[in-house]
């Protein structure tokens, strides 16, 4: 009767090396794939971060240009069409023309790190 207990034990001893040969490459493949997916996710997150920084720089440049022109920047989706602030009373100094003001705004936007935008 000891033979039935001995037989599964011997089968287990023989099966372990075979299982190691099969399982190790399988686990290695899973880990390799997981590392690849993690690297791709990191790259995608970096690209998204760069795009958000670009958007923030553009908004900052628009806000700076709006301050130069004394114009309120409306929130997206607002129905207000009048975005100009009332100007202070005229002084004895000559005012700049719109071309000079536009070039000043473009220079300010370029200095802020954003490409100059076309005026509407």
């Amino acid at each position: 009767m000891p033979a039935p207990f001995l037989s599964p034990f011997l089968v287990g001893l023989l099966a372990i090396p075979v299982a190691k040969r099969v399982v190790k490459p399988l686990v290695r493949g899973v880990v390799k794939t997981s590392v690849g997916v993690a690297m791709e996710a990191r790259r995608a997150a970096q690209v998204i971060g760069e795009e958000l920084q670009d958007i923030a720089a553009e908004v900052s440049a628009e806000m700076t240009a709006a301050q130069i022109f004394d114009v309120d920047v409306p929130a997206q989706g607002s129905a207000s069409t009048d975005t100009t602030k009332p100007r202070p009373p005229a002084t004895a100094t000559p005012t700049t023309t719109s071309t000079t003001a536009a070039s000043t705004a473009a220079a300010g936007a370029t200095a802020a790190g954003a490409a100059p935008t076309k005026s509407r």
Side-chain angles (χ1 to χ4, degrees):
M1 269 215 173
F5 293 109
L6 189 61
S7 175
F9 178 72
L10 289 176
V11 170
L13 285 176
L14 294 174
I16 288 174
V18 173
K20 282 176 68 176
R21 287 186 196 129
V22 172
V23 172
K24 186 175 179 179
L26 181 66
V27 170
R28 181 179 166 91
V30 168
V31 170
K32 187 175 182 179
T33 302
S34 300
V35 168
V37 168
M39 289 176 69
E40 288 297 320
R42 183 179 293 158
R43 283 188 199 125
Q46 184 178 11
V47 168
I48 290 170
E50 288 174 359
E51 288 183 21
L52 286 176
Q53 286 178 350
D54 290 346
I55 291 170
E58 289 174 10
V59 168
S60 177
E62 288 175 4
M63 297 290 285
T64 303
Q67 288 176 354
I68 290 172
F69 289 126
D70 290 334
V71 176
D72 287 332
V73 177
Q76 278 190 334
S78 68
S80 173
T81 57
D82 184 26
T83 59
T84 58
K85 291 183 183 177
R87 295 209 178 256
T91 60
T93 56
T95 59
T96 59
T97 62
S98 62
T99 336
T100 307
S103 63
T104 304
T110 305
T117 57
K118 291 183 179 179
S119 59
R120 294 181 192 188

